Amino acid sequence: MTGTGSDGLVVDAEVRRGEFTLTVALAARSGQVVGLLGPNGAGKSTLLSAVAGLTPVSSGRITLEGEVMDDADAGTFVEASERPVGFVFQNYRLFPYLTVAENVAFSPRARGMGKRAARAAAGYWLDRLGLAGLADRKPGQLSGGQAQRVALARALAGQPALLLLDEPLSALDAGTRLDVQAELKRHLADFTGPCLLVTHDPLEALVLADQLIVLESGRIVQEGSPAQVARQPATDYVAKLVGLNLYYGQAEHGEVLAAVRPSAIVVSTRRPDSGSARNTWPAKVTGLTLLSDRVRLDLDGQPPALVDVTPAAVAELSLSPGSQVWLSVKATELEVYTRGAQLHQPIITSPAPAGDGEPGSPGVQR
């Protein structure tokens, strides 16, 4: 679990939807931003829906600040309209026929606040988020970044004890996203309750979240700080998300995973025959992708690998789809850690030494 105690959100429940079952045990303390990552269909939106009160749990319970929101066994269920939860939806869901000020005031009004007090709350959050000059506009007159801020203001104006963000930046263009991301981080730092953030963007998760939870097929497969998850991915999905190669292996103490940076693998056109102890294996280039200042090679081998090299290295080695190469990586470049078996690809080790590649940088050897 990501936290303990009754000062935040605690979920220990199952949610069943047809053949899909979400089983989650997590806790988010007050002031903590928990990022939820996972492929499509993993259960992220189902979890938010259950916490918000839009979907009842099938078993178990959900508590917020020590108060029971949903308990399947006891028959307790607090309706969504009665839960102190602010929800920023992926497409914002602003009311098109209301002004910006009216949209923001809707949240405190829905919580039972009087008209005057709701208008005052809306005015406060419009000022806080730099939206006062847009108060009389309709949603159709807003940019993507402005609409996102209005949705956040509406969620916060209801004085929620919990904030739910469902991919809040996904509708923004790349140029706007970084600016709004930085702004959102500042506002989340001021929010005193727990926050659940759903995202598919690893950078967004690393920047905004204090803790990460990875869901796959309705189960939590990994949780930890952003640095821990990025350094030691537990599944192939997580490894690809953070841009690492991940291999399953055996050590004296049992099953382990080994993570390898694409830049740590050296590419050669012949089998390396000198240097320090390395893992060495043959592979075939199946794809090349230009990534700004480097080229990512997709290589089919035992095991397969993603390798980053310079454009000059591609030319020097005459690399193209179908090229046969040798790959090697120093033992010191492996991040090896204990984890339950997630993949079915063994680490390939070779007693034969390899050539001298610069560790930690795109390697080239003739």
Side-chain angles (χ1 to χ4, degrees):
M1 291 182 122
T2 60
T4 58
S6 62
D7 65 336
L9 171 71
V10 179
V11 181
D12 189 358
E14 276 193 357
V15 181
R16 291 186 285 273
R17 283 183 165 183
E19 296 182 358
F20 178 78
T21 299
L22 171 70
T23 303
V24 171
L26 67 85
R29 65 179 181 272
S30 295
Q32 185 180 42
V33 179
V34 177
L36 301 175
L37 291 165
N40 291 332
K44 304 182 301 297
S45 295
T46 298
L47 174 57
L48 290 195
S49 182
V51 171
L54 302 175
T55 301
V57 301
S58 305
S59 63
R61 71 199 315 238
I62 297 173
T63 63
L64 180 59
E65 293 188 325
E67 299 293 325
V68 177
M69 297 290 108
D70 195 347
D71 190 325
D73 296 331
T76 302
F77 182 78
V78 178
E79 296 290 342
S81 60
E82 301 299 320
R83 297 191 187 192
V85 176
F87 205 142
V88 178
F89 296 92
Q90 184 175 349
N91 58 0
Y92 311 138
R93 296 191 187 179
L94 299 178
F95 301 115
Y97 52 87
L98 298 181
T99 65
V100 165
E102 291 167 340
N103 263 281
V104 177
F106 176 85
S107 179
R109 286 287 289 156
R111 301 292 178 204
M113 197 177 289
K115 288 184 178 180
R116 181 177 297 179
R119 283 198 297 268
Y124 171 79
W125 284 106
L126 289 175
D127 285 337
R128 278 285 302 272
L129 273 73
L131 296 166
L134 307 177
D136 295 326
R137 292 191 186 182
K138 297 289 181 65
Q141 299 172 299
L142 303 176
S143 68
Q146 291 168 340
Q148 193 276 342
R149 282 185 286 158
V150 173
L152 180 61
R154 182 176 64 181
L156 293 171
Q159 299 179 327
L162 169 68
L163 193 59
L164 305 178
L165 307 177
D166 189 2
E167 300 200 49
L169 307 180
S170 63
L172 304 178
D173 60 67
T176 305
R177 187 175 300 162
L178 288 178
D179 291 336
V180 177
Q181 182 184 91
E183 184 178 358
L184 178 59
K185 183 175 178 64
R186 290 195 297 271
H187 292 302
L188 291 180
D190 293 334
F191 182 63
T192 58
C195 173
L196 296 186
L197 165 71
V198 167
T199 180
H200 279 96
D201 186 335
L203 178 60
E204 187 176 308
L206 295 173
V207 169
L208 296 177
D210 305 308
Q211 194 81 356
L212 295 181
I213 290 178
V214 183
L215 288 168
E216 293 187 36
S217 302
R219 301 290 188 275
I220 294 177
V221 296
Q222 185 169 12
E223 57 184 309
S225 70
Q228 289 170 333
V229 173
R231 188 177 66 253
Q232 297 186 345
T235 71
D236 193 36
Y237 166 78
V238 183
K240 289 179 179 178
L241 199 68
V242 299
L244 296 178
N245 295 288
L246 185 65
Y247 304 120
Y248 167 72
Q250 291 284 340
E252 291 181 356
H253 58 274
E255 299 172 342
V256 295
L257 292 177
V260 187
R261 291 174 294 109
S263 61
I265 300 176
V266 177
V267 180
S268 311
T269 54
R270 59 177 176 80
R271 182 168 185 159
D273 55 9
S274 63
S276 61
R278 296 169 182 254
N279 295 279
T280 304
W281 69 103
K284 180 175 72 173
V285 177
T286 58
L288 301 88
T289 304
L290 181 63
L291 303 175
S292 63
D293 62 340
R294 66 193 189 281
V295 176
R296 174 152 294 180
L297 305 179
D298 197 333
L299 295 131
D300 184 20
Q302 293 296 323
L306 296 175
V307 178
D308 288 348
V309 298
T310 63
V314 173
E316 182 182 344
L317 297 177
S318 300
L319 298 178
S320 62
S323 295
Q324 297 290 336
V325 296
W326 282 88
L327 305 179
S328 59
V329 59
K330 289 184 177 181
T332 54
E333 294 289 348
L334 301 177
E335 177 80 24
V336 181
Y337 46 98
T338 303
R339 186 67 167 83
Q342 300 292 343
L343 298 180
H344 303 285
Q345 297 172 346
I347 298 173
I348 301 300
T349 59
S350 171
D356 298 321
E358 181 65 20
S361 64
V364 181
Q365 292 183 347
R366 281 285 187 182

